[in-house]
Each structure stands twice: as C-alpha cells, then as structure tokens.
Amino acid sequence: MSITQSSTDELILEQHDRVLLIRLNRPDRLNAISRDMLDELSAKVVAADKDPEIRCIVLTGEGKGFCAGLDLIDTNKRREDDGEETNANHNRPPRKLFDLRDAPINVMWHCDTPIICAVNGAAAGYGMDLTLLCDMRIMSEHGKMAAITARRNVVPESGGTWLLPRLVGWAKSAELYYRGRTVLADECLELGLVNAVVPHEELLPTAMEWAREVADNAPMAVQTTKRMMRMGLEESYDTAVDHLMVHLAGMFASEDFEEGLKAFLEKRKPNFTGR
C-alpha cells in the first residue's frame, strides 16, 4: 500500500492508495475551526474531488476531540480587527453579500467523492455539522455530538437545521437543538446519527477499511449514486428515475461496465479504472 503525506499547520493529509485521510490538526484547541483552517479544508476537498486517483475521503481529528466548532477566539479577534479598520477608514468600500460557495459546508455537500467521518471525540456546533455533511459516520466509544448552539446565542448555520431533521426527524431534532443537548456515542447510534460505534483504538482502522471497500467499487457508479441521492432529496420520484436512466445509458457504454461483467463471469475481483 502506497502512502503519500503532506500537511499544513492545521491539516494533516495522508493518501493511502485511493483513500485520502484528512486530519484536523489543532488538538490544543480541540480542533476548533479557524478561518484559515476553513479555507484550507475547502481547498483540499475540492482538489480531492477533482482527482481521479482519490475515490474516498476519511475525515477525522487529531487528539481528544473531533471538532469543538468555530474558534470563537479567532472569530472575535477578527470582529475586533474589522471594527478597528472601520473606525480608522470611514471610506472603506461596502462588503459583498455573504457568500458561502467556497465554504466547507457547501464544498462537502456538493462533493461527489464519498466522505466518511471518523468521530474520534466531541463534535460540537460547526463540528457537529461537519459530521452530518459526511456520507457515513463511524464513532469512537468516546465520541459525542453536542447540539449546543442555543447556549451560545447562535444557530446551526452550517447546514444542521436542514440535515438533522432528515436524519432523525423533526421532534428529535427540536429536542436536541432547543435543549442544547449533548448525545453520547450509544445514543448517537440508537438515533441513527452514526453508522457504527467502535472501540476507540479501532476507529481509524474501521474507517479506513470502509473507505477501501468504497474505493474498490466502480467510481462512476459510486459517485453517480451519491449525486442522485443528493438530488433526489429535492426531486419527484419520476424525475429522479428519469435522471438515473440517463446516467445508466452512459455507464452501459463504459469500460468499467465491461470489466464488471468479466469479473463476475471469471469469479474474480474487478479492477475498475473509472473509464
């Protein structure tokens, strides 16, 4: 197995053959998200989604926590700096409208490459939303999700109010958000917030095993299935089926379709190339 490593101050990247492992790397702050970290995470996910050699992404955190949410110290400092700049220059041009197109919450949602979240510790606020944006979630027995935005006079601005009711229903989402509840690993599994809970030392090996299974399958089929599932949340049944048939016609003409048939007849593991 080939491994390629690269890192920045706040992200560690390891490519294990066709799986990209991304570690949030601010363990001293429980991986609270800074503005620079947001930009870097977006850029890495976009690059991975464009890379045909990467067929699955695993996202996890360094240290004891997965992600404690947005770094409020960093955010407050930027607000103070902006205030000083505004007071110093009253002729400063007006800001553009709020734009989230390049933010991780949109980049991850539109990423066709599957993302598995290995929740190694607490996921709070923005960190909880990051986990919900992933396709699958595997949680350490020490993991937990904290829906505590109402305790900070903020809202789950990163997709949580759209994602959580679709995962666990309106009433349970209301309970978690309105009460500001923290949910431990076993309850996360019971609610369907995570796919599996495993012993802490087995978390990353399990996530990587799942990712390799995803990467072994035909990438065109996996990525199209993800896109159709995403679009299907807003489409009628008839429209969704029509879109699927259009994609299927192209797949029938692909080299990977022929390879899948040959592998089945020859009773061997297929070698998909994405063509």
Side-chain angles (χ1 to χ4, degrees), residues 105-160:
I105 57 173
N106 275 337
V107 167
M108 289 174 65
W109 174 250
H110 292 287
C111 177
D112 289 327
T113 303
I115 305 175
I116 298 174
C117 189
V119 190
N120 58 297
Y126 195 101
M128 179 173 170
D129 287 351
L130 283 181
T131 71
L132 300 182
L133 281 161
C134 295
D135 299 281
M136 294 175 276
R137 289 162 291 281
I138 304 171
M139 181 174 275
S140 157
E141 59 191 342
H142 303 320
K144 55 187 175 182
M145 292 196 188
I148 56 173
T149 48
R151 298 188 182 189
R152 304 289 183 267
N153 194 36
V154 292
V155 295
E157 83 289 353
S158 310

Side-chain angles (χ1 to χ4, degrees), residues 205-274:
T206 302
M208 294 300 291
E209 179 185 355
W210 286 32
R212 284 190 290 269
E213 291 174 355
V214 172
D216 282 344
N217 288 325
M220 191 186 305
V222 172
Q223 292 168 19
T224 302
T225 299
K226 177 174 178 177
R227 181 177 292 193
M228 292 297 96
M229 288 171 61
R230 184 174 67 234
M231 293 176 64
L233 292 171
E234 303 294 331
E235 292 179 330
S236 69
Y237 176 80
D238 288 338
T239 302
V241 170
D242 189 64
H243 281 166
L244 285 164
M245 293 305 295
V246 170
H247 284 287
L248 192 60
M251 289 181 181
F252 283 156
S254 70
E255 294 179 12
D256 275 357
F257 180 72
E258 292 185 11
E259 168 62 12
L261 284 178
K262 288 180 180 178
F264 174 75
L265 294 173
E266 296 170 5
K267 298 182 180 179
R268 60 172 174 81
K269 182 179 177 179
N271 180 26
F272 294 117
T273 63

Side-chain angles (χ1 to χ4, degrees), residues 30 64-69 117-125 127-129 131-132 137-148 176 181-189 193-194 196-197 200 203:
L30 295 176
K64 295 181 179 180
F66 171 71
C67 177
C117 189
V119 190
N120 58 297
M128 179 173 170
D129 287 351
T131 71
L132 300 182
R137 289 162 291 281
I138 304 171
M139 181 174 275
S140 157
E141 59 191 342
H142 303 320
K144 55 187 175 182
M145 292 196 188
I148 56 173
L176 298 184
R181 283 199 57 209
T182 295
V183 186
L184 301 182
D186 287 344
E187 187 176 359
C188 285
L189 182 62
L193 280 171
V194 298
V197 172
H200 186 74
L203 176 64

Side-chain angles (χ1 to χ4, degrees), residues 31-200:
N31 297 315
I33 298 275
S34 68
R35 179 65 60 86
D36 291 340
M37 199 176 186
L38 285 173
D39 294 341
E40 188 70 14
L41 180 59
S42 289
K44 297 305 183 185
V45 171
V46 168
D49 198 32
K50 292 179 179 179
D51 188 344
E53 294 302 313
I54 296 175
R55 298 184 182 179
C56 192
I57 300 168
V58 174
L59 177 65
T60 193
E62 280 287 284
K64 295 181 179 180
F66 171 71
C67 177
L70 290 174
D71 188 334
L72 297 181
I73 295 176
D74 176 74
T75 301
N76 188 57
K77 184 178 184 304
R78 287 177 181 272
R79 287 178 68 243
E80 290 176 349
D81 291 345
D82 286 347
E84 292 174 2
E85 185 178 345
T86 300
N87 293 332
N89 182 8
H90 295 289
N91 295 321
R92 180 184 180 187
R95 298 187 181 193
K96 291 184 177 180
L97 292 174
F98 200 57
D99 188 351
L100 290 173
R101 284 175 295 182
D102 296 328
I105 57 173
N106 275 337
V107 167
M108 289 174 65
W109 174 250
H110 292 287
C111 177
D112 289 327
T113 303
I115 305 175
I116 298 174
C117 189
V119 190
N120 58 297
Y126 195 101
M128 179 173 170
D129 287 351
L130 283 181
T131 71
L132 300 182
L133 281 161
C134 295
D135 299 281
M136 294 175 276
R137 289 162 291 281
I138 304 171
M139 181 174 275
S140 157
E141 59 191 342
H142 303 320
K144 55 187 175 182
M145 292 196 188
I148 56 173
T149 48
R151 298 188 182 189
R152 304 289 183 267
N153 194 36
V154 292
V155 295
E157 83 289 353
S158 310
T161 53
W162 193 89
L163 292 160
L164 191 62
R166 285 166 167 79
L167 287 168
V168 302
W170 181 281
K172 184 56 68 172
S173 298
E175 175 191 339
L176 298 184
Y177 282 138
Y178 303 172
R179 295 177 63 194
R181 283 199 57 209
T182 295
V183 186
L184 301 182
D186 287 344
E187 187 176 359
C188 285
L189 182 62
E190 179 183 346
L191 291 175
L193 280 171
V194 298
N195 297 77
V197 172
V198 299
H200 186 74

